[in-house]
Amino acid sequence: MRKIFDVNFFGTLLFTQYVARHMAGQKEGQIVNIASVRDMEIEIEEGNILYGASKASLIYATKVMAKELCHYNISVNVVAPGYIPTDINADKPEALIHNIVQKTSLRQHGNVIDVVNAVAFFGSSINSWTDHAS
C-alpha cells in the first residue's frame, strides 16, 4: 500500500519540491507531473483504490503547487493521459478499455508519443502562460 503512494505521490512531491527550490532561485521554470485521466472521474475501476487515490492526490497537489509557485514564474502542470496500450495494462478487460476510451473527448486511445509530446509542450518555453492544466 505504502509503495504505491511512495512512487506515485510522495516521490513526485519530494522531487518537485527539490527542483522548485532551484527554479525559484532562477525565477523561472516548468514542472510537469503525470497522472491519469482515469483519476478524473472518467472510469472508476474496482480494486484500484490506491493507484487512483495516489494519482488524484498528485492532481490536487499539482493545482496547489501551481498557485504557490506562480509567484516565482514557475508553471506547474499535470498531463493526465487516457488509455495507452502498454504491457502493464495488457490484462485489462476489453469492456473496461472500451469504456475508458469512449469517455475521452477524442474516443480513441493514445500512444506513448502522444504523452511525450504533451510533456514536451508543457515543459517548454512555448508554454509560458498555462498552469495546472490537465
Side-chain angles (χ1 to χ4, degrees), residues 1 6 14 16 22-23 27 29 39 42 48 57 63 65-66 71-72 79 83 88 95 104 108 111-112 118 126 133-134:
M1 181 179 349
D6 282 347
L14 290 170
T16 300
H22 179 70
M23 291 175 178
K27 300 282 192 225
D39 308 308
I42 286 189
N48 217 4
S57 296
K63 291 178 180 183
M65 287 185 283
H71 307 292
Y72 300 98
V79 173
Y83 179 76
I88 201 165
T104 62
Q108 64 186 28
N111 62 55
V112 174
I126 295 171
S134 56

Side-chain angles (χ1 to χ4, degrees), residues 12-31 65 68-69 72 74-76:
T12 302
L13 185 63
L14 290 170
F15 181 75
T16 300
Q17 289 174 335
Y18 176 80
V19 299
R21 281 188 210 107
H22 179 70
M23 291 175 178
Q26 294 183 327
K27 300 282 192 225
E28 68 176 347
Q30 311 280 2
I31 296 171
M65 287 185 283
E68 292 175 349
L69 296 174
Y72 300 98
I74 300 170
S75 72
V76 185

Side-chain angles (χ1 to χ4, degrees), residues 18-95:
Y18 176 80
V19 299
R21 281 188 210 107
H22 179 70
M23 291 175 178
Q26 294 183 327
K27 300 282 192 225
E28 68 176 347
Q30 311 280 2
I31 296 171
V32 184
N33 292 321
I34 300 183
S36 171
V37 76
R38 288 184 355 207
D39 308 308
M40 297 170 63
E41 297 187 31
I42 286 189
E43 188 62 42
I44 304 300
E45 186 178 344
E46 288 183 36
N48 217 4
I49 190 169
L50 295 174
Y51 176 83
S54 69
K55 291 297 190 172
S57 296
L58 182 59
I59 291 168
Y60 180 80
T62 298
K63 291 178 180 183
V64 171
M65 287 185 283
K67 287 186 177 204
E68 292 175 349
L69 296 174
C70 69
H71 307 292
Y72 300 98
N73 196 32
I74 300 170
S75 72
V76 185
N77 290 282
V78 61
V79 173
Y83 179 76
I84 308 291
T86 63
D87 291 343
I88 201 165
N89 58 26
D91 64 340
K92 299 289 183 201
E94 192 61 39

